[in-house]
Amino acid sequence: MPSITQSTTPCHIPADTAEEVLLGVDTHKDIHVAAVITTLGATLDGRSFPTTAEGYRQIVAWVRSFGVLRRAGVECTGSYGAALTRHMRAEGIEVTEVNQPDKAARRRHGKTDAVDAEAAARAVLSGRATAAAKASDGPVEMLRLFKLAKGSAIKSRTQAINQLKSVLVCADAELRESLAGLSNPKLFQQCAILAELEISGPAGAARHTLKLLARRIQNLTDEINDLTERISEAVTASTPGLLEVHGVGPDSAAALLIAAGDNPERLDNESSFASGECARPPVVRGRCPGRQVQAGR
């Protein structure tokens, strides 16, 4: 994890000049490294801040001590930088998604978090970064979370169903025959109410396992149904009438809206929609995996 460093002699601009400054942020799990530059490209200062609500307030207040903050370039706005992006958007700051600096620039300037933060600010200043960050403060963000939970529940239920049927294949003949020919819902219902017997030997263990797995399947089904209902409500809140379109169900509608985000106006052409900027990748191995995708690599 990068260390938190503080510059010793920040170059403050008098408040009465009201000069515009730009912020660049290299995001991490526990800290964000920030850099401030002028509209002429002069570097003013660089510092690190904790990834907390107070840390976000400190970043904005610190940058505003140099001048007027209207624009910021932030890496990984869909993962490590998501909370900071929400905070700055609430402060009226235009946040631009910035890709990882190209390899040539890294060879010239070296690889440090401070260099990446400054490069993020310069990418906005030069116009190299133009994609507005995806908002995550509305019904579409709710959809993303509900869909994430539903996908996990479906995967777990499928695993439990496969396990239950595997146990049933090896169960004693009497139990297996009593459950033969049942549809899945009836099978799970009957397994969930199997009589409690003393768990002795494989036969007793099989009955107990079938009962636990069936109840797990029922609980997961309830979760999935609840999430499907919540997804439908969120889709209706975001885009009334979308679910009335022929062939569009809650899951497909959610996928479309999640791709566009809570601020679809930022997608002004086909290429912007198709680019990696639309993606909200998961966080793995301590870095933002979306950087290479977004850079088109």
Side-chain angles (χ1 to χ4, degrees), residues 71-112:
R71 296 177 291 166
V74 181
E75 292 188 3
C76 297
T77 60
S79 52
Y80 289 140
L84 175 62
T85 298
R86 283 194 296 270
H87 178 82
M88 290 199 293
R89 283 173 55 86
E91 291 284 327
I93 301 165
E94 178 186 333
V95 181
T96 299
E97 167 70 24
V98 177
N99 296 326
Q100 187 178 31
D102 59 49
K103 293 182 179 179
R106 283 177 172 244
R107 283 195 296 269
R108 288 195 301 269
H109 302 291
K111 168 63 181 87
T112 68

Side-chain angles (χ1 to χ4, degrees), residues 129-148:
T130 59
K134 182 185 290 186
S136 57
D137 53 4
V140 174
E141 177 64 8
M142 293 170 56
L143 275 174
R144 187 185 71 83
L145 296 173
F146 290 153
K147 201 166 186 303
L148 176 70

Side-chain angles (χ1 to χ4, degrees), residues 43-65:
T43 302
L44 298 177
D45 197 8
R47 293 191 182 186
S48 299
F49 298 87
T51 56
T52 61
E54 178 59 26
Y56 303 150
R57 287 191 289 268
Q58 289 175 1
I59 290 177
V60 174
W62 169 69
V63 178
R64 284 175 172 166
S65 70

Side-chain angles (χ1 to χ4, degrees), residues 11-287:
C11 177
H12 289 268
I13 296 177
D16 56 4
T17 64
E19 179 182 357
E20 181 181 356
V21 295
L22 288 87
L23 167 66
V25 184
D26 182 34
T27 58
H28 300 271
K29 179 181 178 181
D30 298 313
I31 68 164
H32 291 331
V33 181
V36 189
I37 66 172
T38 69
T39 54
L40 297 177
T43 302
L44 298 177
D45 197 8
R47 293 191 182 186
S48 299
F49 298 87
T51 56
T52 61
E54 178 59 26
Y56 303 150
R57 287 191 289 268
Q58 289 175 1
I59 290 177
V60 174
W62 169 69
V63 178
R64 284 175 172 166
S65 70
F66 294 98
V68 178
L69 175 60
R70 297 191 181 95
R71 296 177 291 166
V74 181
E75 292 188 3
C76 297
T77 60
S79 52
Y80 289 140
L84 175 62
T85 298
R86 283 194 296 270
H87 178 82
M88 290 199 293
R89 283 173 55 86
E91 291 284 327
I93 301 165
E94 178 186 333
V95 181
T96 299
E97 167 70 24
V98 177
N99 296 326
Q100 187 178 31
D102 59 49
K103 293 182 179 179
R106 283 177 172 244
R107 283 195 296 269
R108 288 195 301 269
H109 302 291
K111 168 63 181 87
T112 68
D113 297 324
V115 167
D116 284 353
E118 185 176 327
R122 296 188 184 281
V124 176
L125 178 61
S126 66
R128 181 172 63 84
T130 59
K134 182 185 290 186
S136 57
D137 53 4
V140 174
E141 177 64 8
M142 293 170 56
L143 275 174
R144 187 185 71 83
L145 296 173
F146 290 153
K147 201 166 186 303
L148 176 70
K150 181 179 177 179
S152 173
I154 290 174
K155 182 177 180 180
S156 296
R157 183 179 65 175
T158 300
Q159 183 182 45
I161 290 173
N162 291 338
Q163 291 171 339
L164 181 145
K165 292 187 174 182
S166 176
V167 171
L168 187 58
V169 166
C170 301
D172 63 272
E174 183 180 354
L175 175 60
R176 190 171 64 251
E177 291 169 8
S178 69
L179 298 172
L182 297 177
S183 63
N184 276 351
K186 287 290 185 181
L187 173 63
F188 305 148
Q189 183 179 1
Q190 289 301 114
C191 288
I193 59 174
L194 284 173
E196 288 285 355
L197 299 177
E198 182 179 353
I199 301 177
S200 58
R207 294 177 69 91
H208 187 68
T209 301
L210 287 171
K211 186 172 186 176
L212 292 178
L213 288 171
R215 290 183 174 181
R216 183 183 303 171
I217 292 166
Q218 290 176 332
N219 289 334
L220 288 168
T221 299
D222 290 340
E223 281 188 28
I224 292 167
N225 292 338
D226 173 73
L227 288 165
T228 299
E229 182 178 350
R230 293 180 185 274
I231 288 172
S232 298
E233 292 172 353
V235 168
T236 301
S238 174
T239 312
L242 180 57
L243 292 178
E244 298 174 9
V245 177
H246 179 69
V248 177
D251 289 330
S252 57
L256 288 169
L257 294 174
I258 291 169
D262 277 304
N263 53 336
E265 66 278 359
R266 78 192 200 287
L267 304 174
D268 54 3
N269 54 56
E270 291 184 5
S271 61
S272 63
F273 184 83
S275 72
E277 307 292 349
C278 294
R280 183 182 293 274
V283 178
V284 294
R285 296 185 181 178
R287 298 296 294 174

